[in-house]
Amino acid sequence: MSYLDQITSPTLLLDERICRSNLQKMAEKAKRHGLNLVPHFKTAQSHIVGEWAKEYGIKEITVSSIKMAEYFCGQGWENIHIAFPFNPLETKKLNDLAKNQSISVQLINEEVTKKLAAELEFLVGFFIEIDAGYGRTGVEVSDFGMIESIMRAAKVSGKLKFKGFYLHAGHTYYEPDKNAVYEQTRAALSMLKNKYITEYPQLITRTGDTPGCSVMEDFGDIDEIGPGNFVFFDMMQVNLGSCKMDDVAVALAVPVVDIKKDKKEILVHGGGVHLSKDVLTELDGSKNFGEVVYLKENGWEIPLQRSYLKSISQEHGIIKASDDLLSKVKIGDILGILPIHSCMTADCMGSYLGINGQQIDHAEGD
């Protein structure tokens, strides 16, 4: 049975071939630069995709919550890192996970460090998250007082092991000069490594953002990278220059429910609850919620004439249609939408349908 015959409502499609290619290319890049690749699985959130990743030498993963860590426990990962400032209310859950799984967390203040030092029953690693310009979270790169207070608080316990410094250069998503951002990242992590390597000779440094990891070729003395979005990519990454449209591995299949040829509009069942409301802005100032592709038996095809989702509400999507699309489409057809932000779309949908007809798991669907 064709995967197309299984679709009657909005369905997130995953092309294994493209996904594997993205995994392979990033794994080869990491190997070329002597880096350990620890991908962030907040994008895929899938055991099956995790098994594909292992085939390219990936042995550790990053997640964004303790709930996601629970989902991936017991799957043979050498370590699972929770890349979000640790929530002290989840200390008991962390103890439960650490009993049988090597796990690490992210710390940014002394208070949480002291709580973990006092209450952990099993060994847990930790990174100190550093802010070197992004401004979202983390210890200021020059705040050695805070860095060392976290280190001191951890030392009173034999259950907290300092692993190194983690820096997410998230401003590569909006700063046009990615080289300048990465120079800042390299300098910050190198300075911290040189300052503390004598006291912690096994200290490692990690950075992880898809735009930077996709385009940069100079990582300095950084030890590890942890991008996430690269596994699927999306139209935001295409817009940033991280990839090409044919590198996007997921597409939302949407049924056509109405056509207004006089307005050059197509109404589809596919809205904010399926795609999220992440958006790009076209040159004329209009909004773009996703790019239309033609679904085929073996995947999808990028049309020569662009059509895109110009507006969405909860369940509705309105496509600004090209003449080519209007000449081909009819009510009851299924179109594909390449998402603006694949991580959010996957989280909204909670499952995948493979191009081969295989159902593929997602943490939010189980």
Side-chain angles (χ1 to χ4, degrees):
M1 175 190 273
S2 166
Y3 78 94
L4 292 168
D5 295 330
Q6 299 183 46
I7 300 169
T8 58
S9 60
T11 302
L12 188 58
L13 304 175
L14 172 53
D15 189 318
E16 178 180 346
R17 177 188 59 82
I18 300 174
C19 183
R20 281 180 173 275
S21 174
N22 293 339
L23 284 163
Q24 182 176 7
K25 283 187 280 190
M26 191 63 75
E28 289 174 350
K29 183 170 192 175
K31 185 176 181 180
R32 189 165 69 247
H33 291 281
L35 298 161
N36 185 31
L37 174 59
V38 188
H40 203 317
F41 259 67
K42 70 179 178 62
T43 301
Q45 299 190 54
S46 169
H47 293 319
I48 290 175
V49 177
E51 293 305 308
W52 298 345
K54 289 175 185 176
E55 295 181 32
Y56 302 101
I58 295 166
K59 299 178 180 179
E60 305 176 54
I61 58 170
T62 305
V63 297
S64 56
S65 68
I66 203 157
K67 177 185 176 185
M68 203 180 297
E70 288 175 319
Y71 185 73
F72 282 106
C73 276
Q75 301 294 310
W77 297 109
E78 290 185 1
N79 189 73
I80 299 173
H81 176 63
I82 304 172
F84 186 87
F86 187 72
N87 170 9
L89 299 178
E90 295 184 316
T91 302
K92 183 181 182 303
K93 287 184 179 180
L94 181 62
N95 266 319
D96 292 341
L97 294 185
K99 187 186 305 182
N100 298 306
Q101 170 71 58
S102 174
I103 201 156
S104 54
V105 297
Q106 217 140 282
L107 298 177
I108 60 171
N109 58 54
E110 185 179 3
E111 290 79 3
V112 174
T113 310
K114 285 181 175 179
K115 180 175 175 63
L116 288 178
E119 298 181 15
L120 281 176
E121 300 170 14
F122 303 95
L123 184 65
V124 170
F126 75 94
F127 283 83
I128 297 176
E129 183 176 5
I130 297 299
D131 178 13
Y134 184 25
R136 182 177 68 179
T137 184
V139 181
E140 292 283 343
V141 65
S142 58
D143 190 351
F144 304 123
M146 178 59 74
I147 290 170
E148 290 163 18
S149 70
I150 293 171
M151 291 172 167
R152 284 194 302 271
K155 279 184 175 179
V156 304
S157 167
K159 304 300 183 185
L160 265 178
K161 180 183 179 183
F162 177 56
K163 297 189 74 169
F165 297 103
Y166 183 106
L167 195 161
H168 178 65
H171 40 327
T172 56
Y173 280 83
Y174 56 82
E175 290 284 354
D177 191 346
K178 292 175 181 56
N179 284 297
V181 172
Y182 254 64
E183 177 54 35
Q184 188 181 53
T185 297
R186 289 190 299 267
L189 290 176
S190 185
M191 179 272 291
L192 291 169
K193 179 186 277 191
N194 290 332
K195 184 173 178 63
Y196 294 107
I197 194 72
T198 301
E199 187 176 0
Y200 297 95
Q202 293 183 310
L203 178 160
I204 56 178
T205 55
R206 183 187 300 174
T207 191
D209 63 291
T210 289
C213 291
S214 296
V215 304
M216 297 307 299
E217 291 294 338
D218 181 5
F219 293 89
D221 62 0
I222 292 170
D223 300 298
E224 299 182 341
I225 53 173
N229 184 276
F230 79 96
V231 71
F232 292 162
F233 285 122
D234 51 35
M235 290 309 301
M236 185 181 297
Q237 298 294 340
V238 173
N239 191 55
L240 289 167
S242 307
C243 65
K244 298 177 181 177
M245 276 183 71
D246 54 11
D247 295 319
V248 179
V250 289
L252 183 72
V254 294
V256 174
V257 296
D258 194 23
I259 301 169
K260 288 185 167 60
K261 289 197 174 183
D262 57 329
K263 292 185 175 181
K264 294 190 174 183
E265 291 180 354
I266 298 170
L267 177 65
V268 296
H269 183 192
V273 296
H274 310 105
L275 284 163
S276 84
K277 288 200 172 182
D278 285 88
V279 64
L280 292 174
T281 303
E282 293 289 304
L283 292 175
D284 64 2
S286 61
K287 293 180 177 180
N288 180 343
F289 293 92
E291 204 81 14
V292 174
V293 291
Y294 298 152
L295 299 181
K296 305 290 184 181
E297 287 295 329
N298 61 347
W300 50 82
E301 173 184 296
I302 299 166
L304 294 177
Q305 294 182 21
R306 286 183 64 216
S307 300
Y308 60 90
L309 208 55
K310 73 171 192 175
S311 68
I312 57 175
S313 51
Q314 185 161 326
E315 298 277 350
H316 302 67
I318 298 177
I319 291 171
K320 182 177 181 179
S322 68
D323 291 337
D324 180 62
L325 178 57
L326 287 169
S327 71
K328 294 178 178 178
V329 72
K330 62 183 184 298
I331 293 171
D333 283 350
I334 303 165
L335 296 173
I337 306 292
L338 299 185
I340 302 301
H341 187 179
S342 61
C343 312
M344 293 293 290
T345 300
D347 202 66
C348 287
M349 293 302 295
S351 66
Y352 311 96
L353 176 63
I355 300 304
N356 60 0
Q358 174 190 21
Q359 294 291 329
I360 298 171
D361 69 293
H362 187 285
E364 291 302 314
D366 283 30

